[in-house]
Amino acid sequence: MRRSAPSSPSTAGCTPRPAAPGPSATCPSGGDEPCHCGRTGCLEASAGDSAVAGAAHAAGVVGAPVIEQVIAAAEGGDRRAHDLLAARARLLGRGVALVRDVLNPDRVVLAGQAFTAYRPGLAHVSESFSRATALPPISLQAGTFGHALQAVAACTAGLRPIYADPLGTVRRAAARHATGTGPTTVPPQSRGPEPTTSREAAR
């Protein structure tokens, strides 16, 4: 839901090319890492899993550039790992503020492992968001699905027609079943022979 009509993403500088809308991953984050789009400081290049894990590995924090190792190190008390994840959280907070200022939604839910995998980082996201947004204050809500987010999102999309029109969905399914056009209906000519019972076999 939105309180006002959304603006074009290009007005916020979120596009690698001025003429076409781009993904939020190319939104300017204030970082200084070069991006594959040719610019510097895009959100993905500065706050993506690969960027953070690569920085941690280069600094000797973890043995391999794997984000799960960085999170585990931070949860185990490694201050360097925590600082890297906190810096990422601040970049993400600025990115969320930018998108929020463009779309002006009623609610903001932080979903995805970048936000929820390291819970101490949420405070940094919230603080950075509050400082960067140009709109009135709004509370951020953290998602609870964690690594199951993608599966839940896929199921939500699949169930949307049912929630939107449950009775209509039932009627359409009944009509398809009555006409033999349902997705699980097997045409008679393609069915195998009918199974015989033990009594028929004895005859």
Side-chain angles (χ1 to χ4, degrees), residues 55-162:
H57 182 245
V61 178
V62 292
V66 179
I67 191 63
E68 287 79 10
Q69 291 189 16
V70 183
I71 295 171
E75 291 175 340
D78 191 304
R79 187 66 190 181
R80 297 173 300 169
H82 167 80
D83 289 345
L84 285 170
L85 293 173
R88 167 163 85 164
R90 288 189 288 271
L91 292 177
L92 291 173
R94 287 200 289 269
V96 172
L98 179 60
V99 175
R100 185 261 177 136
D101 288 352
V102 172
L103 300 180
N104 193 17
D106 292 319
R107 299 174 61 193
V108 177
V109 179
L110 305 176
Q113 294 90 319
F115 293 105
T116 61
Y118 185 59
R119 288 282 170 170
L122 289 173
H124 297 279
V125 173
S126 181
E127 179 183 3
S128 178
F129 169 84
S130 297
R131 290 181 177 179
T133 184
L135 296 178
I138 189 174
S139 297
L140 302 180
Q141 298 179 336
T144 58
F145 293 113
H147 292 282
L149 174 65
Q150 287 79 8
V152 173
C155 291
T156 301
L159 291 172
R160 184 176 300 169
I162 298 176

